[in-house]
Amino acid sequence: MRTLARTLVLALLVASATLGACDNKKTTGSIPLSNVTEAYSRVYCQKAIECQSDTFVAIFDGSVDTCVDYLSSAGWFENGIQVLIDGVNAGRAQFDGKEAAECVEVLQRTSCDAFDGPSAEQACQATFTGLVVNGSDCYADEECTGGGCDTSAACPGQCQDAVALDG
């Protein structure tokens, strides 16, 4: 199951989107794990205000800061990015701050039509790398070395191989 927050991470969500796949990557720095939620919240709010309807802009008065404050106070990322941060802190995943910065840069350049799609998700896949082997406990797909985390029967779930579409 993918949440919008996870999409931002892979999107950081989640390892390179069409723009990020070029040999001329221009990552300007690194985002520390302690700032990743803020960075992703900010880019999400910037794109949401830029790309969404007037209703979304009106809710936050067109202010990225108001949007970020709201997402933070509402716990919007707790079931997405925070699960991944917890995984890093527990040794179930690794975090790459340079990849996080590249992810944010790619998301900032992504068109409105592509922002919530697979190319945005691919831009962020290398931000978190799984360390959990199949058959071991996990809380998110990104914690697994291959495949994903099956939480359909229990939480924590178990890392398992990816199942082919219609498999």
Side-chain angles (χ1 to χ4, degrees):
M1 177 177 87
R2 303 266 186 229
T3 63
L4 182 55
R6 211 182 284 166
T7 297
L8 288 175
V9 172
L10 293 175
L12 196 254
L13 306 233
V14 294
S16 62
T18 304
L19 293 172
C22 301
D23 291 333
N24 60 353
K25 279 186 171 181
K26 303 270 188 214
T27 302
T28 59
S30 181
I31 297 173
L33 183 63
S34 60
N35 293 350
V36 73
T37 301
E38 165 78 16
Y40 288 145
S41 297
R42 187 156 297 283
V43 75
Y44 172 80
C45 288
Q46 287 169 342
K47 288 309 254 190
I49 288 171
E50 174 187 331
C51 302
Q52 297 294 324
S53 69
D54 292 335
T55 304
F56 192 91
V57 173
I59 291 171
F60 298 112
D61 196 28
S63 167
V64 171
D65 289 335
T66 301
C67 176
V68 170
D69 289 347
Y70 171 77
L71 295 179
S72 177
S73 68
W76 195 70
F77 283 108
E78 288 178 10
N79 292 323
I81 294 173
Q82 189 59 50
V83 170
L84 299 175
I85 292 169
D86 292 346
V88 171
N89 291 332
R92 295 185 303 268
Q94 288 181 326
F95 172 76
D96 186 323
K98 287 185 179 188
E99 288 293 337
E102 177 66 23
C103 168
V104 168
E105 289 177 17
V106 168
L107 293 174
Q108 288 171 333
R109 295 188 309 257
T110 300
S111 72
C112 291
D113 290 339
F115 182 68
D116 203 20
S119 65
E121 184 173 316
Q122 290 172 343
C124 301
Q125 282 183 328
T127 301
F128 292 91
T129 305
L131 301 174
V132 179
V133 298
N134 284 354
S136 297
D137 289 351
C138 57
Y139 293 87
D141 292 338
E142 295 80 8
E143 295 177 348
C144 299
T145 57
C149 183
D150 179 9
T151 57
S152 62
C155 191
Q158 298 283 307
C159 284
Q160 63 182 15
D161 288 331
V163 176
L165 192 58
D166 297 327

